Every structure is written in C-alpha cells, then in structure tokens.
C-alpha cells in the first residue's frame, strides 16, 4: 500500500482500532519499520491520540505519534515544540529518528520555523537534543533554500563546539557518541548545501582532537563531497 492508501485506511478506523492496525502493519520486530505507514499516520492521527501514542512504551506507536506532532505544529499548535524537544532526547533511537522526520515536516512547510527550532536545539545541554537539531536540518531537500543551508552549517559548527567542550571523561557517554555519529555525516550534507560557508568552516575543524579527526575522516568519505575534492585537499592538518 502507498501512503495515501494507508492514510485512508487509518481514517476509516475507529479511534480504538488504530493502535492495533499500526502495530500489526509496523514491520516490527524486523530489520526495517514500515516508514510509509509511519508517514501516513503522521498525516492523519488526531491530536489527543498522537500525544497519547508518544507516551506509549510501544516504539512504533511512539514514532507515529511523534511524526504527527510535527504536522500538528505546522497546523498551528506551537506549544507542542516543547513535547517534540522532549522526544528528541528519547532513549529509543527510532523515536529520535521520528523526531527528526517530524522536524523536517516543519521545514517543508515553514522553513523559518525549523531554523528557529534548530537554533534552540543545538544550544541544549543534552547531546541528544543537539543531535536532533543537526539531523533535522541536514536533509538535502531542505537545503535548496539558502537561508536554511546557512543555518545547517551554523548548526554543525555549534554541535561540533558542544562536542569539543565535552570533557574527555564523558566523550564515550551514549548521548555524546550519538552526537558524534551524526556529525560524521551531517557536515557533508551541510557543505554540499552551502559550499561557500560550509567548506571553510569544515576545514577549520581542530583535527588534533581525536573525535573531530574522526568526524573529518568520515565526512571526507561521502560521495556528495566528490565535486568539492579540490577545495578539501590538500589539508595540512591531516599530516
């Protein structure tokens, strides 16, 4: 089934039947969740049900509710940005991915609102929320807008600074490692979106720091940076 068909099926169900339908068609347990159904749920879940789902222990239902929160924010319920921020720090990785999807929905409809949200997230003391900021905005389709591309570069800089400021004794904490992993690809997306700002910002990274050296190496492997190889090399910091 496609997204529209799933949406129609969900809309035809009584409210007390939606959870069972989503769980039965989630694709979980398994290697890959049903993302088409997830998008459809984000399109149609009513507010109260969506918020209830975000608090469920069932991971797929929580993801569906989270994506719907993005839609509800676009529809005008700005107070839900606080709930979305809470979900950005969820301990379940699929819920965190759903948070990024929800934020990207905001970016599709209201780019300025996403830019404002990301600017807040990347200053949060929780590295998982910082990670949500860069994961949300470092999406190629969103970076066609120059203002958003510029904010993506700034967000990567801010997130990298947060990582660099983390004491060595906490660099292997789970949330910090998750942030580092995201920086290992987000920089390449931001550079491709705005090479004028992104390339010099990336070249300025302090690669004497082991984690920043890893981020540098990982991003240089990305095929999206192939057109910019000449501007990235040679880099004397790599020795």
């Amino acid at each position: 089934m496609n997204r529209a068909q799933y949406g129609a099926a969900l809309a035809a169900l009584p409210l007390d039947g939606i959870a069972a339908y989503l769980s039965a068609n989630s694709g979980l347990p398994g290697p890959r969740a049903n993302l088409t159904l997830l998008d459809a749920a984000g399109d149609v879940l009513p507010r109260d049900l969506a918020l209830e789902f975000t608090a469920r222990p069932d991971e797929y239902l929580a993801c569906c509710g989270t994506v719907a929160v993005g839609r509800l924010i676009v529809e005008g319920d700005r107070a839900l940005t606080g709930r979305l921020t809470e979900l950005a720090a969820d301990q379940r990785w699929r819920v965190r991915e759903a948070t990024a999807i929800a934020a990207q929905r905001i970016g599709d409809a209201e780019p300025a609102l996403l830019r404002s949200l990301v600017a807040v997230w990347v200053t949060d003391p929780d590295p998982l929320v910082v990670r949500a900021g860069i994961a949300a905005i470092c999406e190629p389709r969103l970076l066609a807008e120059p203002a958003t591309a510029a904010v993506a570069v700034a967000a990567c800089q801010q997130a990298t600074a947060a990582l660099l400021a983390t004491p060595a004794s906490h660099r292997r904490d789970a949330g910090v490692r998750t942030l580092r992993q995201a920086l290992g690809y987000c920089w390449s997306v931001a550079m491709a979106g705005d090479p004028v700002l992104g390339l010099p910002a990336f070249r300025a990274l302090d690669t004497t720091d082991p984690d920043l050296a890893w981020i540098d190496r990982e991003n240089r492997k990305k095929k999206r940076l192939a057109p910019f190889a000449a501007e990235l090399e040679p880099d004397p910091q790599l020795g």
Side-chain angles (χ1 to χ4, degrees):
M1 293 175 70
N2 61 33
R3 179 170 168 174
Q5 290 169 329
Y6 274 130
L10 288 167
L13 290 170
L15 291 180
D16 60 5
I18 291 177
Y21 181 88
L22 290 172
S23 296
N25 293 279
S26 68
L28 301 176
R32 185 174 175 83
N34 186 339
L35 299 182
T36 305
L37 177 58
L38 178 72
D39 279 332
D43 293 339
V44 303
L45 286 181
R47 183 185 191 279
D48 289 348
L49 191 60
L51 291 176
E52 178 195 334
F53 281 177
T54 66
R56 292 275 191 108
D58 182 292
E59 191 170 22
Y60 190 76
L61 293 182
C63 288
C64 291
T66 299
V67 174
V69 166
R71 185 200 85 235
L72 292 165
I73 291 170
V74 169
E75 290 175 352
D77 199 339
R78 299 293 195 260
L80 288 180
T81 56
R83 181 60 181 141
L84 195 62
T85 301
E86 293 171 349
L87 292 162
D90 197 280
Q91 295 305 302
R92 297 166 292 182
W93 71 267
R94 283 194 173 93
V95 176
R96 297 197 299 269
E97 291 303 311
T99 303
I101 293 170
Q104 288 163 2
R105 285 187 169 217
I106 296 170
D108 287 328
E110 297 194 38
L113 181 57
L114 174 64
R115 294 193 292 268
S116 297
L117 180 62
V118 168
V120 173
W121 279 0
V122 296
T123 62
D124 196 277
D126 190 327
L128 290 178
V129 179
V130 177
R131 181 264 174 195
I134 58 172
I137 202 165
C138 290
E139 165 57 43
R141 75 174 187 269
L142 300 176
L143 303 190
E145 179 157 337
T148 303
V151 169
V153 174
C156 286
Q157 289 177 298
Q158 185 80 36
T160 303
L163 177 64
L164 190 59
T166 302
S169 58
H170 290 286
R171 290 285 185 97
R172 295 300 171 260
D173 291 357
V176 179
R177 289 176 65 87
T178 298
L179 173 58
R180 187 187 82 147
Q181 184 178 24
L183 285 166
Y185 72 87
C186 283
W187 265 109
S188 67
V189 179
M191 281 187 277
D194 189 337
V196 173
L197 291 177
L199 291 169
F202 181 73
R203 288 196 301 264
L205 294 184
D206 178 11
T207 53
T208 62
D209 180 273
D211 287 316
L212 269 60
W214 181 87
I215 290 166
D216 181 280
R217 289 194 302 271
E218 289 301 304
N219 280 281
R220 287 172 183 272
K221 296 175 185 177
K222 303 299 186 282
K223 292 182 179 179
R224 65 176 63 93
L225 291 186
F228 311 108
E231 289 124 303
L232 284 170
E233 299 291 355
D235 188 335
Q237 292 190 76
L238 293 180

